Amino acid sequence: MKRREFIKKATLTAAGAFVAPYILPSGRLFAPSGSQIAPHVILVMYAGGIRNQETVDQMYLTQSQYTWNPIPALNVPGNIMPNMLAGAAPTSKVVYGTGISGNTPISPILTTPLHSQGVLFKEVNAVAAGHYGGSIALLQGNTNLAQPLLDRPKTPTIFEYLRKHGGYKATDTWFLGNSLGNSVPLYNHSDDPDYGAKYGANMFIPGVTFGSQGDQFLKNAKVYHPQNELSPMYKMKYFLDNSYESLTQNNVLDVVGNTEAEKAQIKAFMKNMFLKKQAGSVLQPPVSGGDGLTVGYACEVMKEFNPALTVVKIDGPDTCHSDFTGYLRAIHKADHAVGFLWDYIQNQIPAMAGNTIIIATPDCGRNLNPNPILDTENNFRAFDHSDANTRRVFTLMAGKSITNHPDKATAPISSSSPLNTDAAITVGHILGVESEMLSSGYLHGNSQSLIRKL
Amino acid sequence: MKFKQIAILTSVLVFTFSSCKKDTIDDKVFQVENVSLYSSASSKLKEKTESQWIAVVYTNLFQQALSASDIYRAGQCITSIGDKELAREVIISNFMNSTSPIPVIPSNTEMRSDIDKFVKDSYERFLIRRPTEGEKQYFRNEITNDPLRSAEIVYFSFALSNEYLFY
């Protein structure tokens, strides 16, 4: 290399070193290292504990009731998730549907089930046996043995990785929860000091936000003039905040960092939802109620905000602790809700149609053996979740760039099986922050994007 | 004669032991200790719970208490929304829109008739302290220089401030 050329290149390199780590508008320092596989992901936390026997194994009553009560009428296999899984429905003893005794299955919404569009990881290792631990493990990509209930996740959630390292804004990440119980309202961010609320997701618990409580305390919110009223109000608030911060440096709260424009959009969205609720026109799956309500509002959120990541928590099947018939119906209804959600995206949200990947995985499974409780309707045995069978779950993935594959991970659960917490790194991979997540040191040691296992 | 003595004695006893006592405000306050104003915001280090914040903001705005069950329900609204600051903002604007009861807020004329007093009262009402000279000056300028600036908007900013989240 000539001396002049060397000096030129060295100068450019030095200049680049000063310029390259620029501050992005989101406040983050570096651009994400990975490219997007798809711009939108939906992670469905599919149920509060469901057994592979009644889902991907399609054994319906055969391995739940017939095993313990071997009468021929209970030896009925079949698929009760027609929108998600390919397979024939049970031919007798149909109690999982609607109508009298649940004898009318809900018609499938998807003509091709997600299973036939994408890929099913059939035997996936659930890293936690409880709902809160299991659910936040899905979001953190790991489990934390020191994690108490009613406490924020201890390590960063996928929302925080995306917002800190991927430059996603607050309204790009949403969590839709089904209840205030089971610490569900704590899912939207961790209390990790390097991440936390300022990188958290927006969240609604629709049954409350838009329920009777919301009617009383949120619905009638005054709409202020943005320039003449709101802007001066924020200005004075920021003055007060600065005065306070200058005196108490260690006590300033972090909040999900919606910009004023994002806040205005969310407030307008809420106003619109209350109007739609009054008019009875909030989106709902054809057979609504329970998890359908959460899914309906999730569709409304996606239509309005086109988020990069939407996480929906479904947990109707947790009734299985005491009501196996209700559990079967809840699984079937949740499948119906997922079918509605996927169909709605493809047909009613142009920005997300053909551009979205859906991942559905349970927080945990359920026991192999039943507890002593019989449900009142069919005398079916109920199941809790604590034994080895609870580790057996599945992960279903479909959408943009996910072509149909034969089932993966069909061997019995072992140390080399995929983890349900792989959902987190898979989302990170799809949205371009995989390497940042892997290098954070917080993920399970065996974590790997499921897309890399195809 | 004896009857007259008895009547006089009875009258004296009645006037002595059962005369009316003048009511004072102190008489109507039971087991509530006087609270001193904070000398500075720096001593507020404890975060209010959602319920505490709702109870206090409602009392500050309406000058009356919210029932325990409503405090709980309003708290659930905050819990159900990811951006807590946005949730508080919507709840305050819901309160500001209330027609029964109506929030107790000075009129524009009252505010502008003595801005310094309004600012001092606002600090005492919401932040339980007196404003510094700099703070007084800031709000005096804000109100004076903007004819559209209402007491409602000023109150809104206090109720939404970070300092208001601590005690």
Side-chain angles (χ1 to χ4, degrees), chain A residues 210 219 265-279 281-282 297 300 303-304:
Chain A
F210 303 108
K219 178 184 176 181
Q265 189 183 5
I266 295 170
K267 285 186 284 183
F269 172 81
M270 291 172 70
K271 204 81 182 165
N272 188 37
M273 284 304 103
F274 284 115
L275 290 173
K276 287 185 79 168
K277 183 187 164 193
Q278 202 165 344
S281 59
V282 176
Y297 277 99
E300 296 277 11
K303 187 172 190 182
E304 172 68 24

Side-chain angles (χ1 to χ4, degrees), chain B:
Chain B
M1 185 63 186
K2 194 174 181 184
F3 174 76
K4 191 177 177 183
Q5 283 177 330
I6 290 171
I8 291 170
L9 183 62
T10 304
S11 302
V12 168
L13 288 172
V14 166
F15 276 102
T16 304
F17 295 106
S18 60
S19 60
C20 295
K21 189 181 172 191
K22 188 182 174 185
D23 271 356
T24 66
I25 288 180
D26 287 343
D27 293 330
K28 301 208 181 290
V29 178
F30 297 93
Q31 297 178 352
V32 176
E33 293 176 7
N34 289 329
V35 176
S36 305
L37 294 177
Y38 290 95
S39 56
S40 154
S42 62
S43 50
K44 296 181 191 172
L45 298 172
K46 284 184 279 188
E47 187 185 345
K48 290 174 188 166
T49 63
E50 285 165 2
S51 297
Q52 286 171 330
W53 181 87
I54 288 159
V56 173
V57 77
Y58 189 91
T59 306
N60 279 163
L61 291 177
F62 294 100
Q63 303 290 292
Q64 59 179 273
L66 188 64
S67 72
S69 63
D70 281 346
I71 290 172
Y72 177 70
R73 286 167 62 79
Q76 288 184 311
C77 288
I78 297 180
T79 306
S80 77
I81 296 175
D83 186 336
K84 305 304 176 199
E85 188 171 270
L86 182 138
R88 288 190 290 270
E89 185 181 327
V90 177
I91 284 180
I92 295 168
S93 36
N94 199 75
F95 286 157
M96 292 296 193
N97 218 13
S98 170
T99 51
S100 177
I102 296 171
V104 181
I105 299 171
S107 69
N108 195 35
T109 314
E110 288 168 334
M111 177 179 73
R112 289 175 190 281
S113 66
D114 188 345
I115 293 176
D116 282 354
K117 181 176 183 307
F118 169 77
V119 173
K120 177 174 164 288
D121 289 350
S122 300
Y123 268 86
E124 289 182 2
R125 185 169 178 172
F126 286 93
L127 304 182
I128 327 289
R129 69 178 176 88
R130 300 219 162 87
T132 64
E133 281 307 312
E135 289 168 331
K136 257 191 273 187
Q137 184 64 44
Y138 172 83
F139 278 98
R140 193 185 300 133
N141 290 344
E142 285 293 317
I143 295 166
T144 307
N145 296 336
D146 182 357
L148 293 176
R149 196 66 52 93
S150 64
E152 179 178 328
I153 290 299
V154 176
Y155 274 19
F156 202 146
S157 69
F158 274 85
L160 198 60
S161 68
N162 285 345
E163 183 177 342
Y164 195 58
L165 293 168
F166 292 90
Y167 66 101

Side-chain angles (χ1 to χ4, degrees), chain A residues 408-420:
Chain A
K408 299 280 181 185
T410 52
I413 291 283
S414 70
S415 59
S416 61
S417 297
L419 307 165
N420 66 340

Side-chain angles (χ1 to χ4, degrees), chain A residues 125-186:
Chain A
N125 198 342
V127 300
H131 299 309
Y132 182 52
S135 295
I136 61 171
L138 293 183
L139 298 174
Q140 296 173 116
N142 202 350
T143 188
N144 189 327
L145 296 176
Q147 176 72 52
L149 274 169
L150 299 175
D151 211 353
R152 288 271 177 199
K154 293 294 170 202
T155 57
T157 61
I158 180 64
F159 305 118
E160 294 153 81
Y161 288 118
L162 290 173
R163 293 201 52 211
K164 181 168 182 175
H165 302 295
Y168 293 93
K169 59 186 195 290
T171 47
D172 283 335
T173 54
W174 280 88
F175 172 67
L176 280 299
N178 60 322
S179 146
L180 293 181
N182 284 329
S183 304
V184 170
L186 304 179

Side-chain angles (χ1 to χ4, degrees), chain A residues 409-441:
Chain A
T410 52
I413 291 283
S414 70
S415 59
S416 61
S417 297
L419 307 165
N420 66 340
T421 50
D422 286 343
I425 186 66
T426 307
V427 172
H429 184 197
I430 294 167
L431 294 174
V433 296
E434 181 191 28
S435 65
E436 288 88 345
M437 288 179 72
L438 289 171
S439 61
S440 71

